[in-house]
Amino acid sequence: MRIVTVCGMGFGTSLMLKMQIEDLLKTSPELTKGVRIEVAAWDIGSVKGQQADIIVASTDMKAQLTGTGVDTVFLVNLVSSRELKEKLLPVLQTKLQG
Amino acid sequence: MLRWNGDPALVSGATREECSILNERRQALIRILLESHQPITIRHLATVLKTSSRTIRYDLGQINDWCADNGLNLIRKPHSGVLLDQRGLSRDDILRRLVLAGPSEFVARPAERQRLTVSWLLAGAEAICPESLQTRLGVSHSTAVNDLRTVENWLGRYGISLRRDAAGAITLQSTERQWRQVVADLVAEYTEGGQLLTRLRTTSATERNPSHDVVDESESLRTMIQLSGLDAANRLQTLTEMVSEHLGVPPTEPALPNLVVHLAIAVSRVRQGKTIPASAAHLEELRSAAGYSTAERLAEALEQAFQVRLPEPEVGYLGLHLASLAQKRQADDEDGESRVMARDFYRLASSLLGAGPLMDEDDILALALHLKPIRHRLSEGLFLRNPLLNEIKQKLPKFFEVASKAGKVVESRVGLRLPEEEIGYLAIHLGAAVEKKKLSRRRVLLVCGSGIGTANLLAASLSKYMPDVEIVGTVSPVGVEDALSHLRVDHVISTIRLDLQDMRVSYVSGIPDQAEIQLIKKRLGLEQEAAPALAGAKGARIAGGNLPVLSDLLTKNHIALDVPAMNWQEAVTAAGDVLVRAGDVDSAYVQSMVQAIEQLGPYVVVAPGCAMPHARPTAAVRRVSMSLIRLREPVRFGNEENDPVDLVFPLAAVDTNTHLKALSQLTKLLQNEADLKRIRTARSVDEVLDVVQRYSPDSEE
């Protein structure tokens, strides 16, 4: 399972998101059901060629990230762990079951 | 590893020597002749092949017939030696014919029969029983039964048993691990002899020897190649390149094929849904093994390249293979001969280049590892592909020339001529050693505004952190141009702003901190540059170590309160100007932060009221840095949910990694409503600093 976080540059907000997702998965290992999940941070220009199961990005990237065919989670507050949990977990659970 | 050929129980009947026309020595003889454009004396051939001149003469007689059959002409020139006239045939074509005529085709029958039986059992596609073996192998019933017994014994050593059903059909009873181990070991036999590589490289891997009536060696080889998944196009080469790149070992590393075979098998088995299970406890054990983290990275690359998902136990077993590869390499280091060759080569090359000793022990080890299998490579005619050969000749003509001369020491020791491909590799090693040496002592000019005291302080810390830097002089800003005109200087390090349009200048404080030292090292090429942040930002790995923490970046002069701004552009500019004033970035960087938001939108507003503008790392960034400004009046960035913004934290990164720790601490700070409120209501910069300090627990050291 591969989650890709995206921002304009690939090392700012996407990196923030990557670290938070990693923290979340580390503190709640039961969420992943034993599946190895990797999280990678990419910039919007290079993300097209990336293989991803889930994309996580800021709501402001919506226009650039439509039509990727990949389930995408858009966040308003990029540092809110509650928002991240609320939006990411349902998608993650569906993916893990499917 | 259990070896088939070495098992006396399996190899019986005719010996290789009796039934083969081209035994291994004669094959090697042809390969040597094939590589030489000059006649070679019989005495030289005898030395190289470690046999008598008489044997060589006899061999040449035998080879003569084979050559004639294959349209080649073996010319004997009195007093000068033997020459092989290729008559317009390509080298590859001749090598392929050699393989087909090799001893492999004439290997003792029982061993090959039993090997085939094993491969059919492993494939499990058709029912096997003594009767079916009888017809397929053309043997008697009792021979078939005997063969099966031998096979059963051999498999038993792997813990595999045979099961016979009521109708007499035989199947394997094995776990996935046992299955893979048998396949890998059988394939390894071919790999070690070089047969597999040559066979996979020749175009007609499936070609049979028509003179061989019932079964031939290539059939069991072919089955093994299929079972291991190596039959996919370029699989072997792709995997070898990938592994060599990931582990930083040369593609010629002798232990590599074994690992590659295991990987190929894993990929193809997982694709078929056949995976190795592991209990939770065992998994934990695998995770803590030495090779695990490397295995994870390699697994990621494999997954991308082959579109498979490797379950965790697979990654764990991959880790075990990596750990054993590392051990093998270590054991190989002790081998003396290749080191002697490497040392001699560098010594001669240094004197040819008119330089001092070029190499250190690391260089010698690297070259020794490359040279270790060279005898095998040359005598088996297994040439390294060197896709860069033309480029090397063009771009490094000097090194190529020197390498071909200094390569004589290798030639005389091995007793074989080095083809250009090998010389190309020697040239690369040589070039790398020279480059490293050049980098290792950087000549640095120090510039200090306030006199000798600061200069000495700076010189002391630089030589402590960067022992490879040579300080060629210390001058005041006035003396810079003069010093540059008569001193050879690689880099200028200054504590104050210089009026110098020169990329070689770095700015530091009188007592540089870790972040500054890192940056200078990077600029001097003393540390490997992280992959350019722009294309491959995934290089961002969580590393602890010496990364700057938040309080290293948000120092007193990086915080400003109640800054006036009419709109977001002014806010970003004001925040960026703090970095410019501190000498962290050039004003060009501030403009690019504004442009980035114009182009990519207001996503830098990461949380309500908080913006983190940033742009790509460029030359305009002198060091990793961040500032914090609180606006007098909040402004709107165009982010509906999080506007208006009153706190701006511009970030200047030098790569994808150095700012990691500080960024993670900033995230924690932004998550804490109470602390954000403290910053919003702080009455002084010191109060803000107190908050920042709390998020940088490592900063006390």
Side-chain angles (χ1 to χ4, degrees):
Chain A
M1 168 79 60
R2 187 172 160 88
I3 301 178
V4 174
T5 62
V6 183
C7 73
M9 310 293 165
F11 59 87
T13 45
S14 60
L15 203 51
M16 274 175 136
L17 288 171
K18 172 183 149 82
M19 292 190 287
Q20 291 178 79
I21 295 172
E22 282 171 346
D23 278 350
L24 174 66
L25 297 179
K26 208 168 12 177
T27 50
S28 323
E30 73 282 356
L31 298 175
T32 64
K33 303 187 173 157
V35 176
R36 203 163 61 92
I37 298 186
E38 21 163 344
V39 191
W42 280 88
D43 67 283
I44 183 76
S46 320
V47 77
K48 294 268 154 61
Q50 283 296 302
Q51 180 243 325
D53 297 300
I54 303 175
I55 293 176
V56 181
S58 157
T59 318
D60 292 305
M61 303 246 89
K62 221 169 207 166
Q64 288 108 312
L65 281 171
T66 43
T68 59
V70 178
D71 284 319
T72 307
V73 173
F74 291 108
L75 301 174
V76 173
N77 184 336
L78 304 186
V79 299
S80 162
S81 37
R82 204 188 40 170
E83 185 182 350
L84 179 67
K85 235 186 227 172
E86 277 172 10
K87 291 186 175 169
L88 176 63
L89 289 189
V91 182
L92 190 61
Q93 297 310 318
T94 324
K95 283 272 164 191
L96 288 174
Q97 278 153 19
Chain B
M1 191 203 301
L2 301 176
R3 297 188 49 90
W4 199 276
N5 282 330
D7 187 344
L10 296 175
V11 184
S12 56
T15 65
R16 280 172 172 226
E17 186 70 25
E18 277 164 339
C19 61
S20 111
I21 297 169
L22 287 185
N23 61 18
E24 280 166 17
R25 190 181 58 241
R26 289 170 199 160
Q27 288 224 347
L29 190 51
I30 294 176
R31 289 192 166 103
I32 294 169
L33 291 170
L34 195 53
E35 292 313 318
S36 173
H37 304 296
Q38 304 290 328
I40 304 175
T41 62
I42 287 179
R43 181 188 298 227
H44 181 71
L45 290 169
T47 320
V48 170
L49 293 169
K50 299 199 173 77
T51 182
S52 67
S53 296
R54 195 168 153 242
T55 308
I56 295 290
R57 281 201 194 89
Y58 179 70
D59 281 351
L60 286 170
Q62 300 289 319
I63 287 172
N64 205 18
D65 294 345
W66 183 84
C67 287
D69 287 349
N70 285 280
L72 304 168
N73 191 13
L74 194 65
I75 307 167
R76 298 204 208 189
K77 295 192 169 175
H79 307 299
S80 59
V82 193
L83 184 66
L84 186 67
D85 177 3
Q86 300 185 17
R87 293 268 186 93
L89 279 172
S90 77
R91 209 184 95 215
D92 276 358
D93 193 27
I94 299 172
L95 284 177
R96 189 173 55 79
R97 286 166 193 235
L98 262 183
V99 170
L100 292 175
S104 51
E105 304 299 337
F106 301 89
V107 83
R109 278 290 180 73
E112 171 57 12
R113 276 199 319 262
Q114 290 151 8
R115 212 194 292 241
L116 265 171
T117 309
V118 172
S119 69
W120 290 331
L121 285 166
L122 287 165
E126 309 134 274
I128 298 293
C129 58
E131 291 70 28
S132 68
L133 291 180
Q134 236 177 304
T135 32
R136 289 169 86 166
L137 297 166
V139 294
S140 71
H141 188 266
S142 69
T143 305
V145 171
N146 275 335
D147 278 359
L148 272 170
R149 196 171 298 141
T150 317
V151 163
E152 191 163 16
N153 278 336
W154 188 77
L155 288 170
R157 299 192 225 156
Y158 286 89
I160 300 176
S161 56
L162 298 184
R163 189 175 59 180
R164 293 168 171 84
D165 71 8
I170 299 166
T171 45
L172 280 190
Q173 286 286 93
S174 66
T175 65
E176 179 64 15
R177 262 199 104 178
Q178 291 164 339
W179 189 95
R180 290 192 197 181
Q181 192 60 48
V182 174
V183 173
D185 282 359
L186 285 174
V187 173
E189 283 187 21
Y190 298 109
T191 332
E192 282 172 14
Q195 287 183 60
L196 182 69
L197 300 165
T198 319
R199 188 63 67 99
L200 287 176
R201 214 182 295 148
T202 55
T203 41
S204 47
T206 52
E207 191 170 319
R208 281 169 178 242
N209 186 341
S211 69
H212 220 280
D213 45 7
V214 188
V215 285
D216 63 74
E217 173 74 5
S218 64
E219 188 164 344
S220 73
L221 174 54
R222 197 160 51 243
T223 317
M224 295 320 298
I225 288 175
Q226 268 166 17
L227 290 180
S228 61
L230 283 166
D231 52 338
N234 295 328
R235 180 64 52 88
L236 185 74
Q237 194 180 325
T238 315
L239 277 172
T240 306
E241 281 167 10
M242 227 162 131
V243 173
S244 120
E245 188 187 324
H246 259 82
L247 306 184
V249 303
T252 50
E253 160 66 39
L256 216 52
N258 192 21
L259 173 66
V260 165
V261 167
H262 271 285
L263 287 182
I265 296 175
V267 167
S268 104
R269 291 298 273 184
V270 171
R271 277 214 179 134
Q272 295 166 33
K274 291 174 177 148
T275 57
I276 300 181
S279 68
H282 187 43
L283 203 55
E284 198 48 52
E285 213 175 294
L286 291 172
R287 270 199 215 105
S288 56
Y292 191 75
S293 57
T294 319
E296 274 188 316
R297 284 199 296 277
L298 186 55
E300 184 182 341
L302 287 171
E303 289 182 339
Q304 278 199 14
F306 299 109
Q307 300 294 314
V308 285
R309 185 130 303 278
L310 297 175
E312 222 172 337
E314 297 282 347
V315 181
Y317 284 110
L318 175 54
L320 292 187
H321 285 303
L322 293 182
S324 88
L325 176 79
Q327 265 172 9
K328 263 197 204 122
R329 270 172 67 77
Q330 219 149 29
D332 284 348
D333 293 353
E334 272 122 49
D335 176 72
E337 196 198 30
S338 49
R339 271 189 189 244
V340 173
M341 280 197 282
R343 202 180 298 276
D344 286 352
F345 171 80
Y346 273 125
R347 209 171 277 154
L348 183 54
S350 310
S351 76
L352 286 171
L353 284 168
L358 284 172
M359 66 293 177
D360 56 31
E361 288 302 311
D362 282 350
D363 299 329
I364 292 173
L365 176 59
L367 184 58
L369 285 173
H370 174 82
L371 287 177
K372 194 172 157 55
I374 195 169
R375 190 188 302 276
H376 172 73
R377 253 188 341 249
L378 293 182
S379 61
E380 294 290 322
L382 286 173
F383 288 95
L384 277 179
R385 220 172 54 95
N386 190 340
L388 295 173
L389 185 59
N390 283 329
E391 210 175 319
I392 296 168
K393 281 186 180 171
Q394 255 173 33
K395 292 192 178 154
L396 308 168
K398 180 82 186 153
F399 290 143
F400 190 80
E401 191 200 331
V402 170
S404 75
K405 285 183 184 153
K408 299 277 183 245
V409 297
V410 178
E411 292 184 342
S412 68
R413 207 164 251 279
V414 180
L416 291 170
R417 272 177 58 92
L418 293 177
E420 287 199 322
E421 285 88 339
E422 293 283 353
I423 292 177
Y425 275 103
L426 291 179
I428 293 181
H429 276 270
L430 190 57
V434 170
E435 202 55 36
K436 199 170 108 189
K437 175 120 170 88
K438 246 197 264 170
L439 286 178
S440 63
R441 281 201 72 82
R442 285 310 185 104
R443 296 167 61 86
V444 165
L445 181 69
L446 293 189
V447 185
C448 287
S450 44
I452 215 74
T454 346
N456 285 344
L457 210 57
L458 182 57
S461 43
L462 286 184
S463 46
K464 180 175 158 213
Y465 293 116
M466 290 180 269
D468 287 327
V469 160
E470 188 181 345
I471 295 164
V472 295
T474 311
V475 294
S476 72
V478 193
V480 174
E481 290 197 33
D482 185 39
L484 286 179
S485 67
H486 70 266
L487 284 174
R488 193 166 67 75
V489 172
D490 293 318
H491 208 80
V492 179
I493 298 179
S494 174
T495 56
I496 56 166
R497 291 302 294 253
L498 297 176
D499 220 0
L500 209 62
Q501 294 300 323
D502 197 328
M503 278 299 289
R504 292 178 299 172
V505 185
S506 295
Y507 295 95
V508 295
S509 48
I511 305 172
D513 58 24
Q514 272 305 324
E516 289 174 317
I517 295 278
Q518 291 286 343
L519 185 63
I520 294 176
K521 276 188 176 173
K522 219 160 253 174
R523 291 195 130 201
L524 289 177
L526 292 174
E527 206 156 83
Q528 222 171 4
E529 193 91 32
L534 323 173
K538 72 168 200 164
R541 65 200 150 80
I542 307 289
N546 297 327
L547 299 183
V549 296
L550 192 61
S551 62
D552 289 339
L553 303 184
L554 292 182
T555 56
K556 198 161 185 167
N557 65 340
H558 285 83
I559 298 172
L561 297 180
D562 305 321
V563 178
M566 295 292 291
N567 49 39
W568 70 263
Q569 288 91 340
E570 280 185 27
V572 173
T573 309
D577 280 345
V578 173
L579 299 177
V580 174
R581 277 198 296 278
D584 297 332
V585 302
D586 288 338
S587 54
Y589 184 74
V590 181
Q591 284 155 28
S592 43
M593 285 196 292
V594 173
Q595 280 161 11
I597 298 174
E598 280 167 353
Q599 282 162 16
L600 296 161
Y603 75 94
V604 297
V605 186
V606 292
C610 302
M612 188 185 70
H614 56 283
R616 289 174 200 279
T618 59
V621 178
R622 294 227 171 80
R623 57 181 159 236
V624 59
S625 48
M626 191 185 280
S627 70
L628 188 179
I629 67 163
R630 185 175 77 191
L631 298 173
R632 194 158 64 197
E633 303 290 339
V635 298
R636 304 192 74 84
F637 272 68
N639 182 308
E640 274 172 47
E641 317 278 344
N642 295 327
D643 271 344
V645 169
D646 62 340
L647 296 177
V648 186
F649 309 79
L651 167 71
V654 290
D655 53 28
T656 58
N657 194 44
T658 312
H659 59 290
L660 203 65
K661 207 168 197 172
L663 186 63
S664 139
Q665 290 166 347
L666 178 69
T667 309
K668 298 257 160 35
L669 168 59
L670 294 177
Q671 285 168 341
N672 191 321
E673 288 292 338
D675 278 337
L676 280 181
K677 197 172 172 201
R678 271 187 203 107
I679 291 176
R680 289 188 161 113
T681 55
R683 273 160 303 170
S684 69
V685 170
D686 284 332
E687 279 181 44
V688 178
L689 278 175
D690 283 345
V691 177
V692 169
Q693 201 67 40
R694 252 178 269 161
Y695 291 87
S696 303
D698 329 25
S699 60
E700 287 97 44
E701 59 186 38

